[in-house]
Amino acid sequence: AGMCASATWTLILLHKAENHLVAYRQDYFSAADDLKQQATKWRQQATEWRRHAESLSVQLKNVDAKAKDAAWLRAQWHRDIETAGKHPYTEIAGEPALKLPRMYGTIPEKTIWLYWYHPQTCPNSANCVLSPKRQLLLDSIIHNKGSFRVELVHKEQVEEFV
């Protein structure tokens, strides 16, 4: 015997609903599995970051300890230098911190400075022979200097001015 149309239609709708429910469950469980995997990855990354932060904390403590040691050593060294009546720069460099050049204050502000050195033709100020081109350049500068002074400095004279 045959089924009535409404019963057939009900069975078809029931079958479709069951198929949708199965598909929904598969999607739901698949999404849940994806979320669980993502959560596991995040936990692992958080653990890795926590270990890294702990390592950095230990390193920072070591840096702080070394900085304190260096500060103590620097303070001790300064106390020793001051007690001995010395200056730190003099203690390190062997010379005073500010040593003015011999010619300091004797050269006018408006000065054109020139420097020349050549091991064979101009080893020092007493034995310097400029090439014709350089002599012409020097003569031109002197001729056009206006109110400026021209100072040709040789290798052995540098420390007198600087």
Side-chain angles (χ1 to χ4, degrees):
M3 293 174 103
C4 73
S6 64
T8 303
W9 184 247
T10 303
L11 283 175
I12 290 172
L13 289 177
L14 183 62
H15 180 65
K16 281 186 175 182
E18 286 175 350
N19 285 342
H20 283 298
L21 183 59
V22 168
Y24 174 76
R25 283 183 181 162
Q26 287 174 346
D27 288 346
Y28 172 78
F29 287 119
S30 175
D33 287 342
D34 289 346
L35 289 173
K36 286 178 185 175
Q37 289 175 359
Q38 188 65 39
T40 302
K41 287 179 185 176
W42 286 344
R43 272 189 224 101
Q44 290 171 345
Q45 193 173 28
T47 302
E48 183 180 318
W49 287 347
R50 188 177 304 112
R51 286 187 192 128
H52 185 65
E54 289 169 356
S55 170
L56 290 175
S57 177
V58 169
Q59 290 175 11
L60 186 59
K61 287 177 185 174
N62 289 340
V63 167
D64 285 344
K66 288 179 183 177
K68 287 177 184 174
D69 288 347
W72 177 85
L73 192 58
R74 187 172 32 260
Q76 186 65 39
W77 181 71
H78 277 281
R79 267 191 304 262
D80 293 348
I81 296 296
E82 289 171 8
T83 303
K86 297 180 181 175
H87 189 274
Y89 183 88
T90 305
E91 188 65 21
I92 294 170
E95 294 182 9
L98 179 61
K99 180 179 164 189
L100 297 175
R102 187 177 68 78
M103 297 298 287
Y104 182 80
T106 64
I107 305 297
E109 184 72 28
K110 293 174 69 175
T111 300
I112 299 171
W113 293 93
L114 305 170
Y115 173 81
W116 183 246
Y117 168 76
H118 188 278
Q120 282 86 34
T121 62
C122 192
N124 56 48
S125 58
N127 299 319
C128 185
V129 177
L130 297 175
S131 68
K133 186 191 298 185
R134 286 185 179 76
Q135 186 63 53
L136 180 61
L137 177 64
L138 177 61
D139 292 343
S140 175
I141 292 171
I142 291 170
H143 178 75
N144 295 297
K145 68 182 175 119
S147 62
F148 282 77
R149 176 179 173 170
V150 176
E151 194 68 47
L152 176 61
V153 179
H154 299 276
K155 186 176 181 178
E156 83 276 1
Q157 297 171 320
V158 171
E159 288 187 9
E160 294 178 19
F161 297 100
V162 181

